[in-house]
């Protein structure tokens, strides 16, 4: 850990100057208590740095929660071993791609499964309690439950160091969560219109105002949506995997965790709103998931409860190349080389997701040694992504 300023601590051994400068602006906000914690995978984000933990007193910065509210991971450990799997992995990849709409605007054509409808009933009831209609943000919000999205979201069949097979996926609150975030970022900008902010996207909402309360209600709903979206997709992945291996899938362990969210927590003697933008809760004994990039390892971890980090840990590898720069730097052949031995859809659409566009996940995990203990290292067997 390195103390960059009195209110900014960093666990990143590699930190770009632009990322540090952005984080310093956040750490200057007058309601930070006691400090901003930069995770090992920190990189530039909208307003606030991705890979930062931001504790605030009496205020929340919507952009510090992120635009994909509740984005995170879910993993299921199965009873299967790699030796139990069929040799041809292409059928299960294609089956998952048929079962789950993958792309940015993709939606289910209908809602026909009983477990899907149960989750939607819960979300409708929660929205009514929160006093808003999700359809005002996204007309097809209900049909997007159980859809992946694009970018760095993925679904994988993986194997741990013992040969145990895990099902693993990464997604968030889809279009409705994004629209909720964008709306309240705009509301915060308007509320702070007369203030001299270090960055307009550090605009905040003040506790006790109607605007703050509305954000909390809708943001919490979006967090639940993201959690249930991952559950819904995992149900479908489990079904397709079971059909592929020809047997029932007993869930020996299941972990579902956010890495873009805010919650009230107690740190350094005060009750704060703790926003983890690209970070997971790593309180002592808490299980968590830290994914690598496409074609590299992911980690099942348990938190160590480090106080200085605000009991947090990184959420992944973190980008080193922008998507535009990655496309100019790498080729489809480079991606094929990086994905050797992994079943994936061979398309130029994934060039900007090549592992070389991300930080070295092993370096990130070495930097996080005081924050989490590694329980399992997962290696990809099958990878599914949206264009």
């Amino acid at each position: 850990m390195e103390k960059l300023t009195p209110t900014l601590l960093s666990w990143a051994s590699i930190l770009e100057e632009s990322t540090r400068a952005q984080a310093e602006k956040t750490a200057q906000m007058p309601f930070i208590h006691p400090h901003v914690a930069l995770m090992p995978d920190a990189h530039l984000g909208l307003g606030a740095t991705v890979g930062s933990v931001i504790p605030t007193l009496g205020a929340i910065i919507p952009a510090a929660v992120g635009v994909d509210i509740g984005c995170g991971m879910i993993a299921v450990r199965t009873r299967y071993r790699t030796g139990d799997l069929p040799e041809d992995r292409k059928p299960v990849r294609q089956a998952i791609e048929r079962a789950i709409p993958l792309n940015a605007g993709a939606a289910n054509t209908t809602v026909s499964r009983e477990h899907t409808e149960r989750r939607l009933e819960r979300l409708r009831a929660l929205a009514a309690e929160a006093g808003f209609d999700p359809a005002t943000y996204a007309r097809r919000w209900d049909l997007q439950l159980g859809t992946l999205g694009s970018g760095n979201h993925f679904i994988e069949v993986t194997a741990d160091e013992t040969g145990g097979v895990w099902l693993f996926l990464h997604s968030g609150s889809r279009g409705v969560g994004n629209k909720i975030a964008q709306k309240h970022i705009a509301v915060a900008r308007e509320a702070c219109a007369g203030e001299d902010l270090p960055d307009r996207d550090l605009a905040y909402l003040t506790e006790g105002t109607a605007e703050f309360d509305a954000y909390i209600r809708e943001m919490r709903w979006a967090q639940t949506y993201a959690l249930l979206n991952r559950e819904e997709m995992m149900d479908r992945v489990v079904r397709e995997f079971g059909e592929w291996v020809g047997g029932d899938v007993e869930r020996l362990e299941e972990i579902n965790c956010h890495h873009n969210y805010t919650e009230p927590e107690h740190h350094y003697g005060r009750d704060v709103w703790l926003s983890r933008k690209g970070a997971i809760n790593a309180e002592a004994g808490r299980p968590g998931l830290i994914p690598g990039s496409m074609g590299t390892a992911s980690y099942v971890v348990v938190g160590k409860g480090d106080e200085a980090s605000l009991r947090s840990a990184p959420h992944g590898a973190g980008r080193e190349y922008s998507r535009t720069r990655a496309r100019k730097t790498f080729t489809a052949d480079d991606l094929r080389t990086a994905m050797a031995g992994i079943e994936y859809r061979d398309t130029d659409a994934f060039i900007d997701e090549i592992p070389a566009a991300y930080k070295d996940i092993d370096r990130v995990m070495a930097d996080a040694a005081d924050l989490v203990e590694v329980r399992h290292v997962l290696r990809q067997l099958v990878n599914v992504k949206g264009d």
Side-chain angles (χ1 to χ4, degrees):
M1 184 270 289
E2 181 181 3
K3 189 173 184 178
L4 302 180
T5 73
T7 54
L8 181 62
L9 306 185
S10 173
W11 279 257
S13 60
I14 300 175
L15 187 64
E16 295 78 10
E17 187 55 41
S18 57
T19 303
R20 172 175 174 157
Q22 182 181 58
E24 286 177 347
K25 291 178 181 178
T26 305
Q28 292 168 12
M29 298 299 285
F31 42 71
I32 297 295
H33 172 80
H35 55 255
V36 171
L38 275 185
M39 297 292 98
D41 56 336
H43 62 280
L44 282 174
L46 174 69
T49 305
V50 178
S52 60
V53 184
I54 304 168
T56 53
L57 295 168
I60 288 181
I61 304 167
V65 178
V67 294
D68 191 357
I69 298 171
C71 187
M73 311 293 307
I74 186 171
V76 165
R77 180 167 63 91
T78 76
R79 64 181 173 86
Y80 290 96
R81 317 286 297 172
T82 52
D84 300 325
L85 306 183
E87 186 174 342
D88 186 2
R89 301 172 190 163
K90 186 174 182 179
V92 72
R93 172 179 64 80
Q94 292 178 326
I96 293 170
E97 290 172 346
R98 288 191 298 268
I100 298 174
L102 300 176
N103 302 322
N108 300 286
T109 56
T110 61
V111 174
S112 57
R113 296 182 178 89
E114 182 182 352
H115 55 75
T116 313
E117 186 55 43
R118 285 199 306 271
R119 291 183 175 114
L120 288 172
E121 287 176 2
R122 179 181 172 190
L123 287 167
R124 292 186 189 106
L126 291 173
E129 289 178 15
F132 81 106
D133 180 0
T136 61
Y137 287 107
R139 180 175 53 85
R140 298 189 301 169
W141 71 270
D142 52 345
L143 294 179
Q144 284 205 310
L145 188 77
T147 69
L148 183 67
S150 60
N152 61 356
H153 293 170
F154 63 77
I155 303 165
E156 291 175 340
V157 180
T158 66
D160 65 24
E161 66 286 347
T162 72
V165 176
W166 293 66
L167 307 176
F168 199 66
L169 69 83
H170 172 204
S171 191
S173 53
R174 306 297 287 112
V176 66
N178 183 284
K179 294 292 186 181
I180 288 171
Q182 296 286 4
K183 182 263 183 85
H184 291 286
I185 289 172
V187 169
R189 287 174 184 159
E190 184 176 347
C192 295
E195 296 194 33
D196 184 20
L197 297 173
D199 185 314
R200 67 192 293 263
D201 287 317
L202 291 176
Y204 59 92
L205 300 170
T206 303
E207 196 165 5
T209 64
E211 293 82 3
F212 180 96
D213 292 343
Y215 175 63
I216 293 298
R217 291 194 302 269
E218 296 181 10
M219 178 268 299
R220 282 179 165 162
W221 180 89
Q223 288 180 182
T224 301
Y225 185 99
L227 197 79
L228 296 181
N229 185 45
R230 291 192 290 273
E231 286 184 1
E232 175 65 26
M233 283 188 285
M234 185 56 76
D235 283 352
R236 301 183 194 186
V237 172
V238 164
R239 185 184 67 248
E240 300 305 330
F241 178 81
E243 290 188 5
W244 179 56
V245 298
D248 294 334
V249 180
E250 182 183 356
R251 304 187 190 201
L252 302 181
E253 182 177 1
E254 184 167 334
I255 303 167
N256 193 350
C257 63
H258 294 320
H259 54 224
N260 272 18
Y261 71 109
T262 194
E263 288 289 352
E265 295 188 14
H266 192 81
H267 292 277
Y268 288 82
R270 302 290 297 275
D271 292 327
V272 301
W273 289 98
L274 194 74
S275 298
R276 292 184 173 97
K277 182 176 181 177
I280 63 171
N281 185 327
E283 64 189 15
R286 187 183 186 97
L289 302 167
I290 303 177
S293 56
M294 185 180 183
T296 63
S298 295
Y299 294 82
V300 180
V301 301
V302 62
K304 292 186 174 181
D306 180 80
E307 291 295 336
S309 70
L310 308 172
R311 300 192 291 274
S312 302
H315 81 312
R319 291 199 74 90
E320 193 164 2
Y321 287 67
S322 69
R323 296 191 181 278
T324 300
R325 184 181 168 207
R327 288 196 163 276
K328 291 179 179 179
T329 305
F330 305 107
T331 67
D333 284 339
D334 294 329
L335 180 58
R336 291 186 192 102
T337 299
M339 295 295 287
I342 301 170
E343 172 59 40
Y344 79 109
R345 183 156 51 95
D346 189 344
T347 168
D348 290 356
F350 300 154
I351 290 174
D352 56 8
E353 283 293 299
I354 190 170
Y358 286 81
K359 292 182 178 181
D360 181 351
I361 188 63
D362 293 328
R363 181 68 171 269
V364 169
M365 296 307 297
D367 288 349
D370 292 335
L371 311 181
V372 291
E373 177 185 347
V374 175
R375 288 181 49 220
H376 296 288
V377 180
L378 307 181
R379 303 282 179 180
Q380 291 98 337
L381 303 174
V382 178
N383 173 274
V384 172
K385 293 182 70 69
D387 294 344

